[in-house]
Amino acid sequence: MTRMVGCWSLVLAGVLALAVQVLYFSPIDPIIILERPPKASPFAVNNHLQSVTKLGEGILKDPEDVCVDKHGTLYTASRDGWILRLHRNGSWEHWKNIHSPTMLGITVTTQGAVVVCDSDKGLLKVTEDGVTVLVSQVNGSTLSLADEVVEASDGSLYFSIASTKYGLHNWYLDVLEARPHGQLLKHNPSLNETTVLLDNLGFANGVALSKDQDYVLVCETWKYRCLRHWLKGEKKGKTETFIENLPGGPDNIHLAPDGSFWVAMFQVTHEKMEFVHSSKVLKHLVASIPRLTKLMGGMTKKAMVANVGSDGKIMKIFDDSQGKVMNFVTSALEFEGHLYMGSLNSNFIGKLPLRSEF
């Protein structure tokens, strides 16, 4: 009897310890619902991304995004704080050191300046003369987790805030909480004015303008969809779903020369850990133990990019189903018949020829 009482005491102590862990140490306020992609994909595995050429291997560290200027020079931001550029002759240049490991989306303006999203510092403008902070606050609140940016023909900058609650170092807590903290913003440089176009987005990530710039797209990573916000025409000011039920969480999105879009996707949750999203208690437990939180992500296990038409339909998908060469692809940019891909888990940029057989 004494042994049985002791066992029950241990069980009760364990339950109480779990309750304390959940109630007092969890940093999230979760809801149970998390929209996840369908298990089956209409596209067969092709592993085309295993055929990439590795650019800058060993020079770069987790280059999240890529962009190309009017001269054909490629730019990317590295985790070691450098903005590097690849010249036409194939040589790499360590161009500017921002002294920040948190740079994400990057674009080149028509005036030749580089604009980069720094998840800690905000929206930055980089030129030969140095670095200027364009936006660090909106409506009195400090920017957190600025993610991707694109420039319109009038000089306006559209950019995303992935989460107003969590930063880059603990971004997965936003997924576990599954509450919409993301935003789409517009910055007018001439007026030095920044406005919020869309609020309450599910981890707002990639941003792209249409070929005619009559609408802007923004990706919601843990909702596995992209939204379309109309800037011109009869639907001006309205927002609708552009594409949903993507086979992975959409990261950056880039306009292709033909008016379609390239969407980089990753596996948001490890397949063996998906059950966690069905329970608030499990979410609290995982969120309060950093080691468990790290186990949740499946983003380094595979790679996938999709070419999506202006009608919102997927036309083709390229992948590396086991992540043998490319994994955690975060951006895909088409330039002169090739696809250039950034990754937050690689020391190179992948270059894939867009051959007719693809």
Side-chain angles (χ1 to χ4, degrees), residues 163-203:
S163 176
T164 56
K165 184 173 181 179
Y166 300 104
L168 184 61
H169 67 286
N170 60 359
W171 70 271
Y172 202 83
L173 295 179
D174 197 276
V175 181
L176 282 172
E177 186 165 297
R179 292 182 183 274
H181 301 300
Q183 296 177 323
L184 174 66
L185 290 79
K186 177 183 178 180
H187 176 68
N188 186 327
S190 61
L191 299 177
N192 193 26
E193 181 180 80
T194 304
T195 55
V196 178
L197 294 182
L198 297 177
D199 209 342
N200 299 315
L201 302 178
F203 205 84

Side-chain angles (χ1 to χ4, degrees), residues 214-226:
D214 53 347
Y215 61 82
V216 60
L217 300 179
V218 59
C219 299
E220 293 184 285
T221 299
W222 56 253
K223 286 193 174 184
Y224 299 89
R225 71 180 186 182
C226 300

Side-chain angles (χ1 to χ4, degrees), residues 40-232:
S41 171
F43 295 88
V45 171
N46 53 55
N47 289 321
H48 286 325
L49 297 187
Q50 293 181 8
S51 301
V52 300
T53 299
K54 298 180 180 181
L55 303 178
E57 186 174 18
I59 299 175
L60 306 175
K61 180 175 174 57
D62 305 334
E64 198 265 355
D65 195 15
V66 293
C67 63
V68 178
D69 69 13
K70 60 183 179 181
H71 304 295
T73 302
L74 182 145
Y75 291 78
T76 190
S78 187
R79 283 316 84 177
D80 56 9
W82 280 97
I83 293 180
L84 298 95
R85 55 187 182 187
L86 175 62
H87 296 282
R88 283 279 195 178
N89 61 11
S91 64
W92 281 95
E93 176 191 358
H94 283 74
W95 181 53
K96 295 292 180 181
N97 195 337
I98 309 302
H99 302 288
S100 172
T102 54
M103 291 184 290
L104 296 173
I106 186 170
T107 193
V108 179
T109 70
T110 55
Q111 300 300 314
V114 169
V115 177
V116 60
C117 291
D118 189 299
S119 63
D120 287 346
K121 298 179 180 179
L123 198 64
L124 310 180
K125 179 181 177 181
V126 187
T127 67
E128 295 290 352
D129 298 325
V131 182
T132 303
V133 178
L134 293 177
V135 186
S136 61
Q137 292 187 341
V138 175
N139 297 333
S141 299
T142 301
L143 289 186
S144 65
L145 200 43
D147 201 305
E148 176 64 315
V149 59
V150 64
E151 186 195 39
S153 58
D154 64 358
S156 297
L157 296 168
Y158 294 87
F159 66 104
S160 60
I161 300 298
S163 176
T164 56
K165 184 173 181 179
Y166 300 104
L168 184 61
H169 67 286
N170 60 359
W171 70 271
Y172 202 83
L173 295 179
D174 197 276
V175 181
L176 282 172
E177 186 165 297
R179 292 182 183 274
H181 301 300
Q183 296 177 323
L184 174 66
L185 290 79
K186 177 183 178 180
H187 176 68
N188 186 327
S190 61
L191 299 177
N192 193 26
E193 181 180 80
T194 304
T195 55
V196 178
L197 294 182
L198 297 177
D199 209 342
N200 299 315
L201 302 178
F203 205 84
N205 210 318
V207 181
L209 286 161
S210 67
K211 197 169 186 178
D212 295 331
Q213 300 195 4
D214 53 347
Y215 61 82
V216 60
L217 300 179
V218 59
C219 299
E220 293 184 285
T221 299
W222 56 253
K223 286 193 174 184
Y224 299 89
R225 71 180 186 182
C226 300
L227 300 180
R228 170 164 48 196
H229 181 74
W230 289 94
L231 303 174
K232 301 176 183 177

